[in-house]
Amino acid sequence: GAVVSQHPSRVICKSGTSVKIECRSLDFQATTMFWYRQFPKQSLMLMATSNEGSKATYEQGVEKDKFLINHASLTLSTLTVTSAHPEDSSFYICSMAGWKLNNEQFFGPGTRLTVL
Amino acid sequence: AQKITQTQPGMFVQEKEAVTLDCTYDTSDQSYGLFWYKQPSSGEMIFLIYQGSYDEQNATEGRYSLNFQKARKSANLVISASQLGDSAMYFCAMRENRGGATNKLIFGTGTLLAVQP
């Protein structure tokens, strides 16, 4: 199957700073990327869907100006948490999908963000 | 609207025994896919098994099988011969297949499985 990497795996930042998380497909070109957020002991909540070359579609309740998503190429998507606050501390996971992936999304290993 | 329900927040199973994790779903679409993922404490989401709504046979992948009952809208995961490494959170998910693999997944709340020696 396809391999997806995320960087960084863990980040601690001060309140008010911005953090960028990268999601890369290592051996496949993805047409669609998804970004999820997971709070402790909860399920994955979809934040946004991005297609290469077009603007991301955000789920209801997710601030697009706070969570900037850029699907720069078929192998790279980034999520930038702008002016992060402690309530943004969470586990962020990306996944990728494409027509050649037979009914399956492949997930990155996740990024644990802690905002102090 | 799509909805996934996992009613078991936690389960215990003895090593080497089988366990069934429940999942029910709700959708008005005829074409959809059902997934099970395993999430160990490290956080990564590991794909286990997939069942398409038009698949006539229940999906199986090694020790994992999916008990698909379309009329009841249930897609329970059966893990046979449990191992200590099976201890993890398990999520059921659904995707409408209108757009194929690029449609979003809706996840259930998960079941925490603990395998006891």
Side-chain angles (χ1 to χ4, degrees):
Chain A
V3 179
V4 178
S5 69
Q6 260 184 261
H7 178 78
S9 58
R10 191 180 292 267
V11 58
I12 301 172
C13 69
K14 292 181 179 180
S15 184
T17 61
S18 294
V19 175
K20 180 184 282 188
I21 302 170
E22 289 188 350
C23 180
R24 291 182 185 273
S25 59
L26 301 183
D27 54 2
F28 180 77
Q29 292 184 332
T31 54
T32 305
M33 288 222 183
F34 304 86
W35 285 95
Y36 295 86
R37 180 169 54 183
Q38 186 180 29
F39 292 109
K41 299 184 180 181
Q42 294 188 22
S43 186
L44 277 72
M45 298 302 296
L46 181 65
M47 299 174 67
T49 304
S50 74
N51 294 297
E52 190 266 341
S54 61
K55 290 184 179 179
T57 302
Y58 290 81
E59 295 297 302
Q60 193 173 8
V62 178
E63 299 176 57
K64 62 180 180 181
D65 293 331
K66 180 169 186 61
F67 299 100
L68 302 178
I69 292 172
N70 181 21
H71 194 156
S73 71
L74 288 174
T75 60
L76 173 65
S77 178
T78 61
L79 167 67
T80 301
V81 183
T82 62
S83 187
H85 289 92
E87 58 265 29
D88 298 325
S89 298
S90 186
F91 192 58
Y92 292 88
I93 311 176
C94 69
S95 75
M96 51 170 271
W99 293 109
K100 291 185 179 179
L101 293 175
N102 187 25
N103 297 318
E104 186 176 340
Q105 284 186 23
F106 289 90
F107 285 82
T111 296
R112 191 163 302 281
L113 170 64
T114 303
V115 185
L116 302 177
Chain B
Q2 288 181 306
K3 186 178 179 181
I4 291 281
T5 302
Q6 294 180 253
T7 58
Q8 305 154 313
M11 290 277 288
F12 285 100
V13 64
Q14 289 293 125
E15 195 177 6
K16 299 180 183 178
E17 292 187 349
V19 63
T20 298
L21 306 183
D22 295 341
C23 174
T24 58
Y25 60 93
D26 190 19
T27 180
S28 57
D29 279 2
Q30 297 301 311
S31 179
Y32 50 89
L34 297 158
F35 300 76
W36 277 92
Y37 287 88
K38 172 184 177 181
Q39 187 180 41
S41 57
S42 54
E44 77 265 33
M45 296 290 284
I46 301 169
F47 166 75
L48 295 179
I49 197 166
Y50 168 80
Q51 179 85 43
S53 58
Y54 291 118
D55 294 341
E56 294 185 351
Q57 291 191 330
N58 287 344
T60 60
E61 290 286 348
R63 294 187 297 112
Y64 305 109
S65 60
L66 199 152
N67 183 2
F68 181 45
Q69 299 193 27
K70 195 170 182 177
R72 295 184 179 182
K73 293 188 175 180
S74 73
N76 298 341
L77 176 70
V78 180
I79 305 175
S80 62
S82 297
Q83 302 172 356
L84 296 178
D86 294 335
S87 295
M89 183 70 87
Y90 288 81
F91 290 100
C92 180
M94 178 171 65
R95 183 192 71 211
E96 292 177 346
N97 282 346
R98 287 177 236 166
T102 57
N103 278 344
K104 61 186 181 183
L105 288 171
I106 304 297
F107 284 88
T109 51
T111 296
L112 182 61
L113 177 67
V115 181
Q116 296 177 315

